[in-house]
Amino acid sequence: MNKSLFLLPALLLGLASAGSAPAPAPLSATAALRDPAGQVLGTAKFEQMGAGVHVTVEVRGLAAGQHGMHIHEYGRCTPGVDPAINKVVDFGGAGGHFDPGMSHNHDAPTTDNKHGHGGDLPMLTVGADGVGKASFMTDKASLTGENGILNRSLVIHAKPDDFKSDPAGLSGARERCGVIMRDGLTVRDYPLPGAQDFPEGVAYDAKKGVLYTGSAQNGTIYAINAQTGAVTKFQEGGALGRMVALGMKVDAQGRLWVAGGAQGTVSVLSPDGMTLNVLQTPKSPRPYVNDLVAAPDGNVYVTDSSRPVLFRVDKNMNLTAWLDLSKTPIKYQPGVNLNGIVATPDGKYLLAIQLNTGELWRIDLKTKAVKKVMGGLENGDGLLLDGQNLYVARNKNQVVAKVSLSADYASGKLVKEEPLAGLRFPATLAMVGGDLVVTQAQLDRMGGTPETPFKLTRFKKF
């Protein structure tokens, strides 16, 4: 028999393998486990597997026996106050247990996140040689999404965990701590100085090399040097009655446009921070002016998340109700409706995301015809259009999504979702050269305890 017949299947397999793209590496992270003196005495590895995470831990220098082990809220292995005893303790800066389900209850590692902390893990068993090893799966945590643990901390305690006593199962002192850092990804953070910043909007002035971001809490607007990271106050919150700053855009004249949320206003600021105009939308019980875009036709289009109307500001600063959305396929529902908005560079269309339904819509600027592009983008907040790629900040999902759009923007396909190095309720996006910048708005923490410093994060396009 011809030996080439035996070789043919292998040859075909090799050709098929050579022509196919390599599978992407699984999402993974590492925590270097340190003692209170800062010495690295162990490592924890995290690898995304489906909806859960495979965790492997190896640590040395601990007393023999069982030790409580938990994921804590903050990515800080520093001293801090333990609220349970109101004293500064080693690794107190890591905060309490990670609790994405807001259960406020310490429980077993098998308890779902609605009834127990998402950070409740199996115990670590340490041998007589002081070495502890563990390997397990958990579906309570993830490296992406609402249960994301990137840039949080793994803490190992001195005593066993009883899996019932709040807040930490009587597991004693914090003896090892490591920040869970994404593998193979570099980002740059722009920290903000305020304790109540909640940075919702972001815009970039390429001529000045400056990023603008504004507070959803008090309206303060900052200017950030995109190269150095230096932060200055561009305009104080409350200027001419503008109490908040949501969506932001810089127009061709260098003016900064700011959506005013529940005030129902659109503010226009000069390049040096003076208020030029405050435009008021029609009075109504529930206004929520959320985002805006300066389109190629010279007009600015404005979304309202509560009222089914798309506003337009013309070149003469006249604000009008341009499109009654109740007469289109877009159906407003309880919650946040139309939010992020962008204009296509050909000047033909607007694209807008409906946060509560996850639907992306195309609006024809000439005919006002509305077409659904796609669904499945729930919690879609800010948008950024780069050619045929649309980036979506999905706030509660804690990812930036990439959507590939058809040539006519009439359809789209979700390509990838990125948690970056750990996102905290991302809201809006801006482009700086070949990079993107996303706000970590933490709007889910308004009225609670946010992670500080607040920050914007810059990353390479994906």
Side-chain angles (χ1 to χ4, degrees):
M1 186 179 289
N2 190 334
K3 292 183 179 179
S4 64
L5 295 178
F6 291 101
L7 297 175
L8 184 58
L11 178 60
L12 292 175
L13 179 61
L15 288 173
S17 299
S20 59
L27 193 62
S28 64
T30 303
L33 300 172
R34 302 175 184 272
D35 67 7
Q39 184 179 6
V40 176
L41 292 173
T43 303
K45 297 281 188 179
F46 305 81
E47 185 173 349
Q48 192 73 38
M49 291 187 175
V53 174
H54 182 249
V55 184
T56 56
V57 180
E58 182 171 345
V59 65
R60 59 188 184 275
L62 295 173
Q66 291 188 309
H67 295 253
M69 184 165 58
H70 316 111
I71 295 167
H72 285 241
E73 183 73 19
Y74 305 126
R76 297 193 292 260
C77 288
T78 56
V81 175
D82 182 347
I85 59 175
N86 198 29
K87 291 183 179 180
V88 174
V89 299
D90 292 329
F91 307 131
H97 290 184
F98 176 47
D99 190 18
M102 301 299 289
S103 69
H104 306 291
N105 179 54
H106 177 63
D107 214 305
T110 53
T111 304
D112 66 78
N113 286 357
K114 290 184 179 180
H115 300 94
H117 298 151
D120 295 338
L121 300 179
M123 280 189 279
L124 178 73
T125 300
V126 177
D129 59 356
V131 176
K133 294 183 179 181
S135 179
F136 57 89
M137 281 287 302
T138 177
D139 60 3
K140 293 169 67 65
S142 174
L143 298 183
T144 185
E146 295 180 48
N147 297 330
I149 58 173
L150 291 174
N151 199 28
R152 303 192 191 278
S153 300
L154 180 70
V155 174
I156 300 173
H157 294 257
K159 298 178 181 180
D161 188 337
D162 68 9
F163 295 131
K164 60 182 181 181
S165 299
D166 287 319
L170 300 178
S171 52
R174 305 178 183 195
E175 293 195 326
R176 299 289 183 271
C177 181
V179 178
I180 303 168
M181 304 294 291
R182 168 83 176 270
D183 293 332
L185 179 71
T186 300
V187 300
R188 179 183 179 184
D189 289 332
Y190 295 107
L192 300 176
Q196 293 289 314
D197 284 331
F198 297 96
E200 203 275 354
V202 63
Y204 181 59
D205 186 332
K207 294 179 181 178
K208 296 168 65 175
V210 167
L211 285 158
Y212 297 105
T213 191
S215 171
Q217 176 80 352
N218 56 40
T220 296
I221 297 174
Y222 295 108
I224 306 168
N225 185 304
Q227 181 176 356
T228 68
V231 180
T232 57
K233 192 174 288 186
F234 186 68
Q235 191 183 72
E236 193 75 51
L240 290 183
R242 185 189 50 74
M243 302 307 297
V244 300
L246 300 184
M248 310 172 79
K249 294 294 188 298
V250 174
D251 67 13
Q253 300 177 48
R255 298 175 300 186
L256 181 65
W257 294 68
V258 185
Q263 290 182 277
T265 58
V266 175
S267 298
V268 187
L269 281 58
S270 73
D272 59 358
M274 297 293 292
T275 300
L276 300 175
N277 293 91
V278 179
L279 308 173
Q280 181 72 53
T281 60
K283 295 290 186 180
S284 69
R286 293 179 60 250
Y288 204 82
V289 174
N290 206 331
D291 202 7
L292 38 78
V293 62
D297 63 6
N299 298 310
V300 173
Y301 295 86
V302 184
T303 61
D304 190 298
S305 296
S306 295
R307 298 174 291 180
V309 61
L310 197 63
F311 295 103
R312 184 178 74 176
V313 182
D314 65 20
K315 299 173 185 177
N316 297 317
M317 291 292 169
N318 297 309
L319 186 151
T320 57
W322 179 74
L323 178 59
D324 181 355
L325 297 173
S326 67
K327 299 178 180 179
T328 75
I330 301 174
K331 303 304 177 187
Y332 269 41
Q333 300 181 20
V336 177
N337 288 276
L338 279 200
N339 194 334
I341 185 169
V342 293
T344 60
D346 59 12
K348 292 183 178 180
Y349 307 110
L350 302 172
L351 296 172
I353 189 78
Q354 191 169 355
L355 184 143
N356 49 5
T357 67
E359 295 169 315
L360 179 67
W361 300 94
R362 189 192 73 175
I363 303 166
D364 192 304
L365 281 169
K366 184 177 181 180
T367 67
K368 298 187 181 181
V370 175
K371 183 184 187 306
K372 180 179 173 180
V373 178
M374 64 181 292
L377 296 169
E378 290 80 5
N379 304 309
D381 199 327
L383 302 179
L384 187 145
L385 185 61
D386 179 31
Q388 301 307 127
N389 293 321
L390 181 71
Y391 292 90
V392 185
R394 298 184 66 187
N395 54 34
K396 187 178 178 181
N397 297 72
Q398 304 198 112
V399 294
V400 174
K402 179 181 179 180
V403 172
S404 177
L405 297 167
S406 61
D408 61 356
Y409 307 98
S411 63
K413 180 181 179 182
L414 179 62
V415 175
K416 187 177 181 181
E417 293 193 317
E418 259 293 342
L420 301 179
L423 290 172
R424 306 292 187 259
F425 212 86
T428 55
L429 297 146
M431 183 176 291
V432 180
D435 296 346
L436 300 180
V437 175
V438 62
T439 60
Q440 300 208 39
Q442 298 189 68
L443 300 185
D444 55 334
R445 295 295 187 93
M446 292 182 75
T449 305
E451 266 184 68
T452 53
F454 287 96
K455 60 189 177 182
L456 278 58
T457 296
R458 180 172 176 173
F459 58 100
K460 296 291 183 185
K461 289 188 291 184
F462 56 88

